[in-house]
Amino acid sequence: MRALQRAAFATLIATGIAVTAAQGIAQAQPYYPTKPVRIVVGFSAGSATDITARMIAPRLAEKWRQPVIVENRPGAGGTLAAAMVAKATPDGHTLALISAAFAIGAVLHANLPYDPLKDFVGVAQIGASTGALTVAPALGVKSVKELIALAQERPGKIFYGSAGAGSGIHMTAERFKMLAGNKTVHVAFKGQPEMLIEIMAGRIHYGFPGLGPALGMIKDGRLVALAVVTLKRSPLLPDVPTMVEVLPGFERDASHGLLAPAGTPRRILNQISKDLAGVLDLPEVKQQMQVISFEPAPTGPEEYDRIIRSMIGIFSKVVVAAGLRAP
């Protein structure tokens, strides 16, 4: 009987130690977030990545009961913003919202102030935006084939814009240039809003903006959409063909996602990923994204890490083929 009592007493003590240890671990891992969260965007306000950030930020703030601040740090194709996040404390309170420009910059620039693979960790993919090949009505071009013909008639005199050298829409334009066989000239801007102004003013001739910042200008006739950069036609512009219909083999990666500084605890990455997926599933967010033809495609941290590495591998080949970097 006494042996049974001693065994029961020992079990109670062990249980108490385990509970105390668990409580200690919980206290050592405070609830996230404990202060405002910054989402750093490497492009101007009104750009596609900025619009994505501002759609998710208020809902994450509601869920976390902490302010979520979108901070624009445009310049150098998003590398200025990435460098800032790479140096941030790895506690989940500073995140980068990136586009394909991050992977492009990783292979395009030899002396980045960060290591794109070692200094960051994937948090989650958000989804992909729809881009469109657009021109000003005054150019008199009404189809992709007409634009290609005009560029061939005027080699070196047709200008296309981007949101910075190495940005996603820069690479989209480079792929178009390669497939069309045109000799057009690149003009880089800080972001899509500046590029759109220059297209409408006629100082450059075309670009590949996202539908988010460009749709209103297309609808009111200030811009003409010649093709959408998706596999299927956009329900927002059902009469506009896809680039694949005109140029078979044309591809574009327009993925948006969140990165955190390397060393951010896995539990925090998992929580952000889970909470983001919940936000993207909200009916009002789905409706907002449908309006700008953005397709949500949330992932977990590990999968997004694999996506980033795959994109870097793909763009390593593209920049060489486009003559932007030596083999």
Side-chain angles (χ1 to χ4, degrees), residues 2 41 89 122 127 153 199 288 319:
R2 289 182 178 178
V41 177
T89 303
E153 291 172 6
I199 294 174
Q288 276 187 306
V319 298

Side-chain angles (χ1 to χ4, degrees), residues 162-211:
S162 79
S167 63
I169 59 176
H170 177 206
M171 295 306 293
T172 300
E174 286 290 343
R175 290 185 181 187
F176 172 63
K177 180 179 177 179
M178 289 166 57
L179 286 172
N182 291 333
K183 295 181 179 179
T184 49
V185 181
H186 175 227
V187 181
F189 297 95
K190 286 186 176 181
Q192 293 192 55
E194 294 87 347
M195 179 192 72
L196 289 169
I197 291 170
E198 295 302 300
I199 294 174
M200 288 186 292
R203 288 185 283 269
I204 61 173
H205 300 99
Y206 70 92
F208 285 84
L211 279 191

Side-chain angles (χ1 to χ4, degrees), residues 82-313:
M84 174 182 164
V85 174
K87 298 174 183 177
T89 303
D91 59 4
H93 291 91
T94 302
L95 306 170
L97 197 151
I98 65 164
S99 65
F102 178 84
I104 297 164
V107 300
L108 197 58
H109 305 297
N111 298 310
L112 289 172
Y114 54 83
D115 187 310
L117 294 177
K118 295 180 180 179
D119 292 342
F120 300 91
V121 62
V123 179
Q125 179 174 265
I126 299 170
S129 62
T130 299
L133 171 55
T134 62
V135 299
L139 190 62
V141 169
K142 297 182 180 179
S143 71
V144 176
K145 290 184 178 180
E146 288 183 12
L147 178 62
I148 292 173
L150 179 65
Q152 290 174 347
E153 291 172 6
R154 300 165 60 184
K157 296 182 179 179
I158 299 297
F159 299 89
Y160 65 91
S162 79
S167 63
I169 59 176
H170 177 206
M171 295 306 293
T172 300
E174 286 290 343
R175 290 185 181 187
F176 172 63
K177 180 179 177 179
M178 289 166 57
L179 286 172
N182 291 333
K183 295 181 179 179
T184 49
V185 181
H186 175 227
V187 181
F189 297 95
K190 286 186 176 181
Q192 293 192 55
E194 294 87 347
M195 179 192 72
L196 289 169
I197 291 170
E198 295 302 300
I199 294 174
M200 288 186 292
R203 288 185 283 269
I204 61 173
H205 300 99
Y206 70 92
F208 285 84
L211 279 191
L215 187 60
M217 301 167 196
I218 294 170
K219 292 289 189 181
D220 65 18
R222 288 180 290 164
L223 289 173
V224 177
L226 304 182
V228 292
V229 189
T230 49
L231 293 176
K232 298 179 180 179
R233 293 194 180 198
S234 169
L236 300 175
L237 299 171
D239 296 327
V240 177
T242 67
M243 284 295 295
V244 178
E245 292 177 50
V246 184
L247 291 175
F250 185 91
E251 297 177 1
R252 182 203 179 197
D253 190 299
S255 174
H256 292 177
L258 291 175
L259 294 180
T264 302
R266 179 61 55 178
R267 66 179 183 85
I268 291 178
L269 300 176
N270 289 337
Q271 183 185 330
I272 298 171
S273 173
K274 180 181 177 182
D275 291 344
L276 175 62
V279 165
L280 295 176
D281 198 43
L282 294 172
E284 62 269 26
V285 174
K286 286 182 176 179
Q287 184 177 8
Q288 276 187 306
M289 291 191 166
Q290 185 177 15
V291 166
I292 62 169
S293 201
F294 187 97
E295 184 178 354
T299 69
E302 295 85 357
E303 185 177 353
Y304 192 48
D305 266 332
R306 288 193 293 271
I307 290 171
I308 291 293
R309 281 164 170 74
S310 174
M311 287 170 59
I312 290 174

